[in-house]
Each structure stands twice: as structure tokens, then as C-alpha cells.
Amino acid sequence: MAVFTPVTLDDLIQWIPPFSLGKALAIRGISSGIENSNFFIDTERGEYVLTVFENLSFEQLPFYLELMRHLAQRGVLVPAPIANQQDQIINPLHGKPAAIVTKLEGDCQMAPAPVHCAAVGAMLAKMHLAAQDFSIRQPNLRGLPWWRETAPVVRPYLPADGQQLLRDEMAFQEAFAASDTYRQLPNGPVHADLFRNNVMFNGNQLSGFFDFYFAGCDTWLFDLAVTVNDWCIDLATGKLDIARVRAMLDAYHAVRPFSVAEQAAWQPMLRAGALRFWLSRLYDFYLPRAAEMLTPHDPGHFERILRQRVAHPAPNLY
Ligand SMILES: Nc1ncnc2c1ncn2[C@@H]1O[C@H](COP(=O)(O)OP(=O)(O)O)[C@@H](O)[C@H]1O
Ligand SMILES: N[C@@H](CCOP(=O)(O)O)C(=O)O
């Protein structure tokens, strides 16, 4: 997997002049993408990433790409979209929207240590603060309204104990979302999918967050819960690794101190973060999109995480 829309060097040479990147010298498809067609491109001004968007439209893309531009301009480490001479960052290529962004150096860190979790926590806090004055608003499209729609669709596929867990957790999250504590939580644009495979490291040095295509406005704590639930766990059991949790939370808190309401909301929010990905994985597993060619992610992983978070308290935020 997967280049869905082929782009040749000749295509690129024709297309790239308005970007002031000099001549296009080479193009290589990136095999690991699952949503879009991604390419590394060499130009006279250096190496960049070209993405041809397969599912998102010209109308939907500005939220994501303008958010990345906004963050990059404020020193948050994310791919910076390259504008053409008309200051446009989304341009048609083979009839689909396409964008060029800066290339992040390094690789994903799939076996993170506390040092990596601390770097992610600090950059996440910096990102939340920097996104506060971003002017485009879009809700998290995988938030509570989507859980409400999706839970009854996937529930019939589950065994009795899974159905019970899903029913109980939806009721718990509805009550949490209606609480005064929830209303006091700071919110704004969040990444909402900051898993290990969406962060690049150059050695132990974080080089950037990428894949912003689940971003939306939600509570900052939800973003942190999603991130902790992936970076700070034993993958086999879903149990939290206290040293990695502490490193991430302390580094986040040092940049953007947590509020009292956030402390009260932390345990329910870790459960919310697990429920969100349990639901999306159940949906992709039992109701795959037409022409889906991928092996779906295991929903059982997030069921285990959810059961863990229900049964065992996590370390306090501060
Ligand atoms: N800005 C970037 N800098 C460096 N590598 C990138 C960048 N964007 C994407 N990649 C590489 O391309 C791969 C696929 O990107 P991703 O955004 O996950 O694609 P998709 O949305 O199609 O799943 C990533 O795993 C990473 O190796
Ligand atoms: N992180 C999600 C899947 C989203 O896909 P991504 O590869 O684009 O991050 C999950 O693990 O369920």
C-alpha cells in the first residue's frame, strides 16, 4: 500500500513551477499511507512531501492544512504547507486536491521511552496553546455525536459482555459530557489521533507531529487522553506504564498547567479516549468501506484498554 493516484516526474515538472521550489528532480511514492497518495519529492530547494487527497474535498481541507500552517508559523513542529505564488496551499493535481508540505526528518518511534513521551507531552501543550487563536472552527467529527450514531450500529456484532460494556460506557460518557466539570474544560483545535505512527523523531529529538486529518475542536484533555492511551501503555495488555505516563504529564503541565476541573475529568477522559477508538475500530472491522484493501486494526486492543481504565485508576495529572 499505497499510491492510489500515480504522479510521474513529468507530471510534477509541469505542476510545480508556481511553488517557487525550483525544478522538480525526483519523485518517490510512499508505500505506508492508507488514506491518501503520498510522495517524497526532490526539488532544487530541497526535499518535500506531496499529498494527493483521495477522500477529503477542496471544501474540507482548509481546516486541516490552514491549521498546520498556523501551527508551523508559531513554532510548533508540524509539516509546513508550501504556498504557491497566489498564496494557495491546496491545488488540483489529476483532478484531486493536492498539497506540498515540508518533510519531517527521522522515523516514528514505535517503542517509546519516557524521554520520547516527555517530548510529545511538551509539544502537545505547545500545540494546544498555539492553536487557540486559529480562526476556522470544525468540531471533532469523531466526537460524542458520532459515538451516539455508531454505538447502535456496531453493538449487534458484539458478544453479550461487549454489548454490556458498550451500553454502560455510553451511558457513563453521556453523563460525563453533561456534567459541570466537563463544561469547565479548556478546548480548541486538537490533533485527536496522536499515535506513535503520527510523530517523527530524529534520534531522541522530536521532529514533528503529522497526519492531522482527524483534527477538530475538542477538549485539550481528550487529545492528551488519546495520546497517553497509545504512547504510555504496554501494548499487549493496555496497562499504563507509570514512568511514561508521568513523563508525558509532567512535561505537558510544565508548558500548560492543568486546571482543577481537568484533574477531576482525567479518569473519565481516559475512558472516552479508549471508547472513541474502540468504536472506530469496530466500525472499520464489521462495516468496512467498499473496496477497502486494508487489514483493519484490532478492536479488541481498545476494548482491553477501556476495561483497564474502568478497573484501575490512572496517575493524577499533577
Ligand atoms: N511531512 C512528512 N514528513 C516526513 N514523512 C512524512 C510526512 N508526511 C507523511 N510522511 C510519511 O508518509 C507516511 C504516510 O503518511 P500518512 O499521513 O500516515 O498517510 P495516510 O494519511 O495516507 O495514512 C508516514 O508514515 C510517513 O512515513
Ligand atoms: N490511529 C487509529 C487509526 C487512524 O489511522 P492513522 O494511521 O491515519 O493514524 C487507530 O489506531 O485506530
Side-chain angles (χ1 to χ4, degrees):
M1 296 292 296
V3 167
F4 309 95
T5 303
V7 179
T8 66
L9 182 57
D10 279 346
D11 296 335
L12 187 64
I13 288 169
Q14 301 289 321
W15 187 75
I16 212 166
F19 291 93
S20 307
L21 293 174
K23 194 170 181 305
L25 304 173
I27 180 163
R28 293 179 303 285
I30 303 177
S31 58
S32 61
I34 58 167
E35 281 286 323
N36 301 307
S37 299
N38 294 296
F39 306 84
F40 290 124
I41 60 172
D42 293 338
T43 75
E44 287 178 325
R45 302 267 182 288
E47 217 178 342
Y48 293 85
V49 172
L50 166 69
T51 300
V52 180
F53 295 95
E54 302 292 343
N55 299 310
L56 291 167
S57 66
F58 284 96
E59 292 70 36
Q60 292 168 311
L61 278 165
F63 177 80
Y64 309 104
L65 284 157
E66 293 294 352
L67 176 60
M68 288 159 68
R69 169 147 75 173
H70 179 99
L71 293 171
Q73 285 168 346
R74 284 155 182 77
V76 182
L77 298 179
V78 300
I82 305 297
N84 66 13
Q85 284 138 7
Q86 278 78 48
D87 200 36
Q88 289 156 337
I89 54 180
I90 305 159
N91 291 278
L93 177 57
H94 293 323
K96 295 176 180 168
I100 299 175
V101 300
T102 53
K103 180 174 184 281
L104 304 173
E105 292 306 319
D107 296 292
C108 296
Q109 174 50 261
M110 300 309 283
V115 65
H116 305 109
C117 295
V120 171
M123 189 60 66
L124 187 62
K126 185 172 174 175
M127 188 192 92
H128 290 160
L129 293 174
Q132 278 183 108
D133 61 343
F134 181 58
S135 58
I136 313 178
R137 292 279 132 178
Q138 170 176 291
N140 173 8
L141 301 176
R142 291 281 179 276
L144 182 62
W146 184 82
W147 309 349
R148 281 189 194 124
E149 266 171 47
T150 307
V153 176
V154 297
R155 190 183 301 119
Y157 295 98
L158 295 175
D161 65 333
Q163 294 205 17
Q164 194 56 51
L165 177 66
L166 186 50
R167 242 188 236 102
D168 292 348
E169 193 58 29
M170 281 300 299
F172 179 84
Q173 292 297 335
E174 289 282 2
F176 171 50
S179 67
D180 282 344
T181 301
Y182 187 89
R183 269 190 286 279
Q184 291 169 45
L185 300 177
N187 64 72
V190 300
H191 186 287
D193 185 30
L194 197 60
F195 283 45
R196 302 173 192 198
N197 65 337
N198 287 334
V199 179
M200 214 64 98
F201 274 90
N202 213 351
N204 284 343
Q205 212 57 36
L206 193 155
S207 58
F209 295 168
F210 64 102
D211 203 354
F212 275 76
Y213 304 107
F214 280 116
C217 295
D218 207 324
T219 63
W220 290 341
L221 200 63
F222 176 76
D223 212 14
L224 184 63
V226 167
T227 309
V228 164
N229 274 341
D230 186 66
W231 283 82
C232 308
I233 63 163
D234 170 43
L235 288 176
T237 60
K239 280 187 188 159
L240 291 170
D241 175 299
I242 304 305
R244 280 182 281 155
V245 176
R246 214 43 289 145
M248 186 173 284
L249 298 183
D250 291 351
Y252 186 104
H253 186 61
V255 177
R256 204 279 295 172
F258 295 115
S259 67
V260 173
E262 286 180 306
Q263 179 54 60
W266 181 226
Q267 312 289 336
M269 198 61 91
L270 283 164
R271 291 168 59 166
L275 175 65
R276 179 264 180 253
F277 286 96
W278 188 31
L279 282 171
S280 61
R281 286 184 171 202
L282 285 170
Y283 190 86
D284 293 344
F285 191 85
Y286 291 111
L287 299 132
R289 282 177 286 177
E292 186 72 75
M293 287 179 289
L294 297 165
T295 312
H297 287 127
D298 171 26
H301 176 68
F302 274 102
E303 180 178 344
R304 278 190 296 280
I305 294 177
L306 178 56
R307 289 187 187 280
Q308 279 285 337
R309 301 298 171 271
V310 172
H312 304 287
N316 286 335
L317 285 178
Y318 56 92

